[in-house]
Amino acid sequence: MSSSSAHSSSSSSARTSSPGLPGASVADGAAPHPLAPYGWDEDLAAAFAPYAGSGLVPGRVVRVDRGQCDVVTAAGTVRADTAFVTPHDPLRVICTGDWAAVDPEGGNPRYVRDCLPRRTAFVRSTSSQRSEGQILAANVDHAIIAVSLAVELDLGRIERFLALAWESGAQPLVVLTKADLVPDATALSYLVQDVETTAPGVRVLPVSSLTGEGTDVLAAVVSGGTSVLLGVSGAGKSTLANTLLGEDAMAVRSTRDVDGKGRHTTTTRNLLVLPGGGVLIDTPGLRGVGLFDAGAGVGQVFSEIEELAADCRFHDCAHESEPGCAVLAALADGSLPERRLDSYRKLVRENQRIVAKTDARLRAEIRRDWKRKHAEGRAMGEAKRGGRVR
């Protein structure tokens, strides 16, 4: 965010600020800043200094709704208009988790004048034909992906969530909810193993809000920083949020017995302070989990395939029929499951299509590659039929 010398200077300034004012921190016996439970720290204080000089006050967005938002400030939660932070770029629209510069007390209405640069951002593609990105949460440290054990595991969907989580800059964590519905320990361990294979480098935690299994471990993980709770309807997110909060803050509805799906009980993204430390952003159930410029995230999810690809004979190997392909060799000897490769190919293609819609050069490259493969396929077909290869 800044150079070490600037950081040292800003940190020193922050430590000498008065308690309760922008830049205040715990030092020399000073009281903690009122926004400390929401994640306020010296780096944020340094970034906010120019706004403080203009008389604005800092706050964290805890909810956005119809052109206005709730912002928690040192003096409490205020309602503010977002007219000045509604750009044409949907990825720059203010969202839950943002740190904002707000008009001081007395403004009617108050306005959010600007947002601090985001450390991380969880983005998916919208369902529109324009393939725009939609930001779901900002400044997140942990992306908790809730997956219900009440229904059959959808490993492909988990891979999608993980790709977006890795791309956001947050650390993913897969939570298998309703673990009490799988009383057999061996069966549960197999389910955990299946997800672990799908999620290299990611912790997989079975949890039951009914019995309390795993909830203490989860509470310890989310106690540091900001966590966002993600998943489809019926995954048990609201119940899990209530368990972490220690109260029934979020409405809960039962899932349908026929397919395990639930109705949307959370309709907006809300940022909540956890009693054990940290904050939690609860989100509505996601019907669609479209990728949005998540190439690095896809590579992280399928890291074993990326590692194999490094040993392919050709650096631009498509892992389809090329000689010396290490990926196909692993597929042949059974060390790489066919489902993983199919899923990898699907997500890579999907992500390329999304990026190509906004990148003319990449779009042209994909078109040339398609024509080349089409010509090669036609030539091979003619060769097999004994025809002349043109």
Side-chain angles (χ1 to χ4, degrees):
M1 183 174 294
S2 60
S3 66
S4 58
S5 59
H7 180 269
S8 175
S9 173
S10 62
S11 298
S12 174
S13 172
R15 283 191 289 271
T16 57
S17 301
S18 301
L21 297 177
S25 62
V26 182
D28 301 327
H33 191 277
L35 291 176
Y38 290 87
W40 183 260
D41 57 25
E42 293 179 352
D43 285 340
L44 289 168
F48 191 82
Y51 300 104
S54 301
L56 300 176
V57 298
R60 193 163 195 192
V61 178
V62 297
R63 177 188 171 102
V64 179
D65 183 32
R66 298 180 182 179
Q68 293 191 322
C69 63
D70 292 335
V71 184
V72 60
T73 69
T77 302
V78 302
R79 190 76 169 164
D81 196 292
T82 65
F84 292 104
V85 285
T86 308
H88 293 296
D89 184 353
L91 296 184
R92 296 178 59 198
V93 173
I94 194 168
C95 76
T96 303
D98 270 324
W99 286 98
V102 189
D103 287 335
E105 189 174 0
N108 187 22
R110 288 197 188 188
Y111 286 94
V112 175
R113 298 293 175 173
D114 206 351
C115 292
L116 296 186
R118 291 163 176 159
R119 295 173 175 173
T120 61
F122 193 97
V123 181
R124 69 162 178 174
S125 67
T126 64
S127 57
S128 71
Q129 295 301 312
R130 292 179 294 179
S131 300
E132 294 178 340
Q134 178 190 23
I135 181 166
L136 301 182
N139 300 307
V140 172
D141 302 295
H142 307 285
I144 304 172
I145 302 165
V147 180
S148 174
L149 290 177
V151 295
E152 185 177 353
L153 290 175
D154 186 337
L155 298 180
R157 179 182 289 147
I158 294 174
E159 288 163 343
R160 285 177 170 274
F161 272 112
L162 288 170
L164 294 178
W166 281 121
E167 192 70 31
S168 76
Q171 172 65 46
L173 168 67
V174 178
V175 173
L176 303 180
T177 66
K178 308 179 185 181
D180 53 279
L181 298 180
V182 188
D184 182 75
T186 301
L188 181 59
S189 68
Y190 286 143
L191 291 172
V192 171
Q193 185 177 358
D194 286 343
V195 179
E196 287 177 339
T197 302
T198 300
V202 177
R203 187 171 189 175
V204 180
L205 181 65
V207 167
S208 169
S209 296
L210 182 65
T211 66
E213 177 185 357
T215 56
D216 55 339
V217 178
L218 179 59
V221 171
V222 301
S223 64
T226 299
S227 302
V228 62
L229 191 53
L230 304 155
V232 298
S233 297
K237 298 188 305 299
S238 295
T239 300
L240 196 58
N242 287 336
T243 300
L244 292 171
L245 290 164
E247 57 180 289
D248 292 336
M250 309 305 295
V252 177
R253 293 181 184 175
S254 60
T255 57
R256 300 194 297 249
D257 290 336
V258 63
D259 55 11
K261 294 182 179 179
R263 292 169 289 179
H264 292 281
T265 56
T266 301
T267 57
T268 58
R269 292 177 282 279
N270 303 281
L271 186 146
L272 309 158
V273 176
L274 298 172
V279 293
L280 178 71
I281 299 176
D282 190 23
T283 65
L286 300 177
R287 289 190 177 93
V289 195
L291 300 184
F292 186 81
D293 197 4
V298 172
Q300 188 78 28
V301 175
F302 298 92
S303 57
E304 81 277 27
I305 296 179
E306 297 275 298
E307 291 173 3
L308 287 168
D311 293 328
C312 290
R313 180 183 300 177
F314 304 109
H315 75 278
D316 59 346
C317 183
H319 321 307
E320 293 179 352
S321 59
E322 297 85 347
C325 176
V327 174
L328 294 180
L331 185 68
D333 66 24
S335 59
L336 176 64
E338 186 173 359
R339 191 207 67 80
R340 284 284 283 175
L341 182 56
D342 288 343
S343 185
Y344 172 73
R345 287 169 171 164
K346 181 179 180 180
L347 295 188
V348 167
R349 287 195 299 267
E350 177 182 329
N351 192 66
Q352 285 180 337
R353 286 196 299 270
I354 293 295
V355 175
K357 288 185 178 181
T358 57
D359 189 327
R361 185 175 61 180
L362 179 61
R363 185 164 58 247
E365 290 178 355
I366 291 175
R367 186 179 295 114
R368 284 195 299 270
D369 185 59
W370 180 85
K371 288 182 177 179
R372 178 181 61 79
K373 290 181 178 179
H374 178 71
E376 291 176 351
R378 186 176 61 182
M380 290 179 64
E382 292 182 355
K384 288 181 179 179
R385 292 192 299 271
R388 180 179 298 175
V389 178
R390 293 189 295 270

